[in-house]
Amino acid sequence: MTEQKSTQNSSLRKPQADWRVQDWTGIVRFVRELGPTPRRLRPDSLAMIAMKAPGDIRILEIRSLRGPNRWAYMPVLEVLIDIGELEQYPSNKLPGFSDRLRNWLPGLIEHRCSYEERGGFLRRLEEGTWPGHILEHVSLELQTMAGLPSGYGRARETDTEGVYEVVVQAWHEEIARFAVIEGRELMMAAIEDRPYDIAETAATLRRMVDTLWLGPSTGCIVEAADYRGIPFIRLNEGNLVQLGYGSMQRRIWTAETTRTSAIAEGISRDKDLTKQLLAPVGIPVPEGEFVRSAAQAREAAEAIGYPVVVKPYDGNHGRGVFTNLLTGEEVEAAYTAALEQGSGVIVERFIQGYEHRLLVVAGKLVAAARGDLAFVTGDGIHSVQELIDTQLNENPSRSSNEDAPLNLVRLDTAARLELARQGLDADSVLSDGQRVLIQRNGNVAIDCTDEVHPSTADLVSLAARTVGLDIAGIDLVAQDICRPLAEQGGAVVEVNAGPGLLMHLRPAEGKARPVGQAIVDHLFPSGESGRIPIIGITGSHGTAEVSRLITHLMRSSGRRVGSATAHGLVADTRVVQSGPSADWDSAHKVLLNRSIELAVIENGARSIAQDGLAYDRCMVGVVTSLDTQALLPDLRIDTTKRLFGVLRTQVDVVLREGASILNADDPQVVEMAELSDGQVIFYGRDPSNTALIDHLGHGRRAVFARGRDIVLAIGREEAVLETLLDGVNVEAVLPAVAVAWSLGFTPELIRAGIASLDSVNRVARRARAQPALVESTL
Amino acid sequence: MDITRIRALRGPNLWSRHTALEAVVECSPSERDMTGLPGLESALRERFPDLGALPAASTEPVSLASVLARVALRLQIQAGCNVLFAGAIPTSQPGISRVVVEYTQEAVGRLALESAHALCESALANTPFNIDASLAQLQELDEEVRLGPSTGSIVHAAVARGIPYRRLTEGSLVQFGWGIHQRRIQAAEIDRTSAIAESIAQDKELSKKLLEAIGVPVPKGRAVTELDEAIEVMDSLGGPVVVKPRDGNQGKGVTVNVQTHAELEAAWNAAMLISDDIIVERYIPGDDYRLLVVDRKLIAAARRDPPLVIGDGQHTVRELVDIVNSDPRRGDGHATPLTRIRFDSIALARLESQGSSADSVPEKGRKVVLRNNANLSTGGTATDVTDDVHPEVAARAVEAAQMVGLDVCGVDIVCQTVTRPLEEQSGAIVEVNAAPGLRMHLAPSYGKPRPLGEAIIDSLYPGGEDGRIPTVAVTGTNGKTTTVRLIAHLLSQAGLQVGMTNTDGVFVNGKQTDSGDCSGPKSARSVLMHPDAEAAVFETARGGMLREGLGFDRCSVGVVTNVGLGDHIGMNFVESAEDVAAIKRVVIQNVAPDGVAVLNAADPLCAAMAEHCPGAVTFFAHSPEEPVLAAHRALGRRVVFVEGGDVVAAQRAREWRFPLTSIPLTRAGDLPFQVENVMAALAAVWALGMDWDAVRTGLASFVSDVATAPGRFNVFEWRGATIVADYGHNPDAIQALVDAVQALPAKRRSVVISGAGDRRDEDIRRQTEILGEAFDDAILYQDAAQRGRADGEVIALLRQGLSGANRTRRIDEIHGEFSAIDLALDRLESGDLCLILVDQVQEALDHIAKRIAPA
């Protein structure tokens, strides 16, 4: 029930997430680890040797954009393919192709595509569409089959005939990569009318999702955070996730949080100690005894009084737990079996009733589930085992899959004991209508949150508090959860740290409960977004100097500033990395840093085109210029329009409460104003610039230079902030002032910041010789 | 000499503030005076040469029991326990004494007493006794059960600051503070330490990745799963490497300075024994340092050197190791500052790799390292370097701890020197540890010990807090429960979540958490353990104090309602009212120095306790003229009394008045014993600085009826008659009831009474003597539980008490409580009054309620 929180499973033994295009070996190795290697995945098949007519789809390049990018807000893969002769064969010209595709991927019916309705894509397929577009849908569908949400995709021609850009959302880079490559395989098989083992691909993808993607508990917390606009960063390939950025971050690891005490977790693992702490504060617990031999177990059982429970001291997942034991023989047998599951054995009073799991988050009961008792009914023909298989295990909610609400019922030792007590075994044939209890400790998966008696809700909250856990799964046994515990002899039997949430998210019966939301609300009280102010700067020119001045101004506010710019990666007063650091990785490091209260991140056009942004949204976005000469043909950013598409990303991600700072002197940049969710502040050297005047005419804000004066203006109101000395770079000062202004810095503070700029310049000159000293001197 | 009963007094007790064992010891006539056993002392000294002085005879002869006490104490001292106090207190029964022996560890105390007994017996019988084995056993047990050095240092620091603590397990899990202020530690880990941070610290690769992100220098390299990969990494690093398991600890499976592929393979195999995930990273030459960070501050730093010997040109390596190990500071466990160097296969292999062997004779001055890691447990040494750490190095350690998320963190650094920044010398942080061992800083092999316990306690309790909640302990012969309930009620009026123990159960914030008689130390402790309790009020009965001592080390307020003639006399060696007072005084003796004792000035034994109180005293009495109270008041101290129909709290010129008419509990002052309870409660909450308006509201809203206070002056009106049910069961209580009942007008008065068989004859008789003066009819009953008395015995005593009665005319004897009640009710007429002294409280009250319920 608890998700594995295993450091061993985490990232770093796997190929790093940033392994580059063309490195096929990574995928091949991964697939080999996961299971039988499909013959078609040998590297030589990936070398795309031309196959039989009518052509081939060649994957030329796969680029991973890890954050907001020119296509979308979310991470995507940008795939460059060459369809060669297939250019002449839209889907309607490939006999049987559509049917085969539809057959293998029935989920394609859900793709709405161009017609904005169910079946839309299939209609396009019938009418004829090209392989790039199809690959987009196939890759997305494969990811959906693997259990990921449906996602964004696009396909676009390039200037080269037959070469397309296909963009698919990448929930996880490796999984998306596999889906693209396998999607191509599947399409080729469909085109060439070859058999294709879709089941195996789906299984591999599901295994990849199991190992690489978030588990359901962590997933629901992250989803809830996302819903609240709280960003997240995965810290390993397991379930360790950072919610929020910099100093505002919290961490979660499955259902444990930054606030989950290690000592409390240790206490919860020691059932005996837990009981010792709970009993004195008035929480009913089954009295019990630690025993060291089978004989002692029997003795203890007699002292406590039958029926008793025998269970391992430190076991888990209900393994080796024997309940409702009625005789000394049963106790002795159970002792031996329980000992195998733990380092010692406890005998305790058996509490009559149903098992329940109550989830407490921050002192509040947020969900409760009841256990499932498994019965079979005889027909005079079939054996117990057969009845289990047909009456219980064929239920679709039962599966060996960890995500299923109910496990398969197996005749384990406990179940055999239960049967033996009824004079039966696996092969016994039950008479017609005979109802037999097979399993007492079934999955706790039937929601009963609304039924819990308020006094019991108080008790479990106290139990969590007493153990010291912020999030606890409390196991209790009660005949009727609607009534107070004491009057029915119910008891708390266990307190679990890092409880599994699945039973509350996907109960076998009853309502799903918003447990992820409760956990996020616990970590981030309402009004908190986990965000620190991020200032992102892009443009064709001048961003380095602008970023440096902004960093300087921000630091003068006394906050711990992290900056990733062309001048280096600096955390507060310390140079983490000198030399150019205006890249995704450096920005990412700033966001990871728990001490950083404000981030200044410079993004070159190349960095956005190549990697995307390192943050999902930001408070302030600055665009300095768009130079039509500074295209990036090697990244296929070969037109002004495309460069615009790249740079606008910075404006796209500005938060509603944030601001875009745009250079009014650059007509292309001015055009970005309408893309900003937040307010727009123009800046410019020329007060007579029509865009600026027009902007002010709408009562908006601008910062401009008039002679050597820096003027702050809102509509028609103006204020001279400062008169600059010679030698100060006005071009860079203006946006820096605008940023500070947008963040609510007082004019005094901004002025003081500018006044100290001169020294910045001096230090900067010296710094060229000794970079490590720059920032610490500041 | 027989030991008939041993009790562990786990809190302040009749004898001392310290934990002690109390044994009832019976000496045969010859053993009652040591002068009659002339050879015994030398026989004892022969067996136990470090016995020390034996008690000297004074007016009383020295008995063997006194010797036993002394031996048991001395054995513990010799075994290294810090104990001071032991003695034998004679009882009124000849030859029987109570032997009291202080202990620090209960198990050790018990074993010492047992051994002392055996030693005395062997001296008497002239049989051999192995003192060395006995001491070794004690020492070993002590080492096993006492706190380890890390935990011990923290607990010690807490105790020095007056913070209470309690061990939760036999291991290192300790709880500090009470109620909502409780905090926990486990060794050097504190309750705030996040489980996630701990997991991150355990994953060396992940921690490295996070540290790298914030620019803390870490060694280059990465985790691998195949030897081929390891070779690849080593080659790419282009120099010597360290090979270590990804999730190991204590340096297990770690090989440093691996230079060749062959060495790599050997190192690989060693690491694989610990984990399948192996880290290969750049080897950084230099020394190992451990920096200890608590709450963003560097608290201690130590250089850790591997076990080594220095050649003298004469001795072989083996001999040199023996010489080093002969240092008395080197022991086998964690108890000594240094541990012996292990000369095992690992050491031999290390020697071989240096081209020498156990029998080589290293030249003078040459260092021969015997192990690659510097753990103290394998013979390494630690040298304190706290004062040498460069601020930049300290800053890196603090940043590392902060990034991983650990408040108490051991940061391992490898560098040439900590006096210069790491960046200047390519030093690096190689590991970050949760729950670091403190031994190397508390007791470094060389250099100054560092006050880590203090730092950790400061982190748990900043700003000098002591982790305590206000506690009121109430004792006395009568009125305890009502006083406790009233104090708790008043405190809850002030918005506090109050924990309360009394004879009806344990209640926290209005919710019952236990039932039955909860006036003992266990119940008090359960309140102090409750995470919601903001204040605590304890009924502190004699039984628990005698059995186990107090459930707390000291209280903010101690209240003694009265002693009177005493109760339970004749039980547990309590022979007189003075003895009763001595027991109740324990509460007053353990009032905090800044606390207050609330004492009944009109009760001489109670008033006399004032001089035993370490804190201040507030006296209360009905009359402001009461001499003790008046004197106290004249000195400008606090007093509470009744004047002009008001309860008055007064100090110097200030007075606060509470009209009795606005305190329903007192029935407008008609119930004198309730007025006393109100005065006691008022004085108690005054001591806690409660707001007077809240007190006023609380006094007005306090309800005491069958539901809230069963058996405490429950009044019923029925058929025009008045019925009072009460649990009073000693002469003082009966007197108080009679005083109260006298104030109620009645035509005919009847009383229903039984007697508790475990009281003295005179106490049972005395009860009816008092009643005989005030009641016309008496119905005597006896019930199933006669507490050791023969059939009819108690009734006979009750009858004796009535023999000279001035008022009582009619006496009935009835079997069974219910029948007695029925009889009394049947006879009631309008205007009558009936006092029913109930025994089975709840059952009897239910019965009365059923009888008088309208049909």
Side-chain angles (χ1 to χ4, degrees), chain A residues 264-301:
Chain A
E265 192 199 31
I267 291 173
S268 75
R269 270 199 301 262
D270 184 338
K271 294 172 195 166
D272 218 23
L273 176 58
T274 302
K275 282 203 290 181
Q276 274 175 43
L277 292 175
L278 296 187
V281 301
I283 295 165
V285 293
E287 57 271 29
E289 212 178 296
F290 187 90
V291 292
R292 289 186 170 78
S293 69
Q296 219 186 340
R298 184 197 276 248
E299 225 169 81

Side-chain angles (χ1 to χ4, degrees), chain A residues 251 260 465-466 574 594, chain B residues 184 191 195 396 402-403 532:
Chain A
R251 292 173 183 154
T260 304
R465 203 150 62 242
T466 302
R574 237 164 42 66
R594 291 183 80 204
Chain B
R184 292 173 186 154
D191 51 12
R396 288 308 85 75
Q402 150 80 355
M403 185 60 183
D532 297 344

